[in-house]
Amino acid sequence: DVFRRSTKTTIKKKDIQRILNISKAAAYDFWQEVKDKYTIENNGDLRISERANIFRGELPKTQEPEVIHYQKLYINTIRKLYRATSIRKHKQLGYIFKLLPHLNLEYNILCTDPFEQEIDNIIPLTVGEICTLIGYDISQSTRLIKELQGLTFDYKNQKEYLISYVDSGTNSPRQKKIFLNPRIVYNGSDFRKVEVLGAFCKTAGGEDSRH
């Protein structure tokens, strides 16, 4: 599958810097990270690597579908989010992408078992545990929450947060549990299970209305 800018124009390696709007050095680092693992260069064109298990449209048929799990991403929304995110916030956006493997498929909360389907059995990750997963200083967990809340995107003319959170009433940053806006990422079988979460991801005039 070839990466394309249009039906007639393919994407070349040299296009990475311009498309991602990053420095030459950052483009080089990005290529070193994704080459062969996610994408390959073939006759000058960039293609999805067979090792990546990335598919567009319908998933390929398999003899053991129950043991293969895929992450569903809304490409247009992810692209819009990336373009709406300033270069200085790309690192924070990268934290979210690193955490996607821990996103519960049905309920969109970051947890210990992303494949757990019984809501009573879900064990949410605390912000403290999330800091450990992404290599963030746990003593700066309050700053991490603030940085992640700075990631927003437009949905139906309304600016929305990429993440929101709940806590146990202790108001301890390390104990907060995070969920992702299902309008960006959702892997489950019934969107109605998480539709209400969108109500907690809305901003109020660009300000954080949850405090």
Side-chain angles (χ1 to χ4, degrees), residues 6 9 14 25 32 40 65-66 77 92 95 98 100 107 111 122 130 133 137 143 147 153 156 160 183 192 195 206:
S6 67
T9 307
K14 64 181 181 181
Q32 295 303 310
I40 59 173
E66 69 278 5
T77 305
Q92 287 72 39
Y95 291 150
K98 285 183 178 181
L100 288 181
Y107 297 102
C111 66
I122 293 175
I130 288 171
L133 284 171
D137 185 351
R143 185 178 69 183
E147 289 179 349
F153 75 108
K156 294 184 177 180
E160 297 193 355
R183 290 163 178 160
R192 291 173 297 181
E195 188 173 11

Side-chain angles (χ1 to χ4, degrees), residues 149 158 161 165 199-211:
Q149 287 176 338
Q158 169 71 46
Y161 297 106
Y165 61 83
F200 298 96
C201 295
K202 294 180 179 180
T203 68
E207 298 296 329
D208 191 336
S209 60
R210 293 163 296 179
H211 298 284

Side-chain angles (χ1 to χ4, degrees), residues 103-144:
L103 186 66
N104 185 269
L105 302 180
E106 287 292 333
Y107 297 102
N108 251 43
I109 187 168
L110 295 173
C111 66
T112 58
D113 184 357
F115 307 119
E116 177 59 62
Q117 297 187 29
E118 294 296 329
I119 191 168
D120 290 337
N121 294 333
I122 293 175
I123 303 175
L125 292 172
T126 65
V127 172
E129 291 169 328
I130 288 171
C131 286
T132 300
L133 284 171
I134 63 176
Y136 200 95
D137 185 351
I138 194 171
S139 68
Q140 299 297 319
S141 55
T142 299
R143 185 178 69 183
L144 176 62

Side-chain angles (χ1 to χ4, degrees), residues 124-130 141-142 145 149 165-168 170-178 211:
L125 292 172
T126 65
V127 172
E129 291 169 328
I130 288 171
S141 55
T142 299
I145 292 176
Q149 287 176 338
Y165 61 83
V166 295
D167 62 38
S168 59
T170 63
N171 202 32
S172 169
R174 298 184 187 182
Q175 294 304 312
K176 296 183 188 299
K177 287 84 173 179
I178 290 178
H211 298 284

Side-chain angles (χ1 to χ4, degrees), residues 44-197:
D45 298 328
L46 295 186
R47 295 176 176 269
I48 296 176
S49 171
E50 293 182 356
R51 297 170 54 190
N53 287 324
I54 297 174
F55 306 98
R56 296 177 179 176
E58 295 183 359
L59 294 175
K61 294 182 179 180
T62 174
Q63 294 180 342
E64 298 179 302
E66 69 278 5
V67 298
I68 299 179
H69 302 280
Y70 296 92
Q71 194 80 9
K72 181 189 296 181
L73 299 178
Y74 297 100
I75 295 176
N76 289 335
T77 305
I78 292 294
R79 182 184 294 118
K80 181 185 292 186
L81 178 63
Y82 181 85
R83 290 175 175 173
T85 303
S86 65
I87 294 177
R88 64 186 179 85
K89 291 184 178 180
H90 282 174
K91 186 174 183 178
Q92 287 72 39
L93 189 60
Y95 291 150
I96 295 295
F97 293 152
K98 285 183 178 181
L99 290 168
L100 288 181
H102 302 278
L103 186 66
N104 185 269
L105 302 180
E106 287 292 333
Y107 297 102
N108 251 43
I109 187 168
L110 295 173
C111 66
T112 58
D113 184 357
F115 307 119
E116 177 59 62
Q117 297 187 29
E118 294 296 329
I119 191 168
D120 290 337
N121 294 333
I122 293 175
I123 303 175
L125 292 172
T126 65
V127 172
E129 291 169 328
I130 288 171
C131 286
T132 300
L133 284 171
I134 63 176
Y136 200 95
D137 185 351
I138 194 171
S139 68
Q140 299 297 319
S141 55
T142 299
R143 185 178 69 183
L144 176 62
I145 292 176
K146 184 176 181 180
E147 289 179 349
L148 295 182
Q149 287 176 338
L151 298 171
T152 61
F153 75 108
D154 293 323
Y155 179 78
K156 294 184 177 180
N157 298 318
Q158 169 71 46
K159 190 171 291 295
E160 297 193 355
Y161 297 106
L162 173 59
I163 67 105
S164 191
Y165 61 83
V166 295
D167 62 38
S168 59
T170 63
N171 202 32
S172 169
R174 298 184 187 182
Q175 294 304 312
K176 296 183 188 299
K177 287 84 173 179
I178 290 178
F179 61 84
L180 266 64
N181 191 330
R183 290 163 178 160
I184 298 179
V185 179
Y186 184 60
N187 305 287
S189 60
D190 187 354
F191 186 76
R192 291 173 297 181
K193 293 180 180 179
V194 295
E195 188 173 11
V196 68
L197 297 181

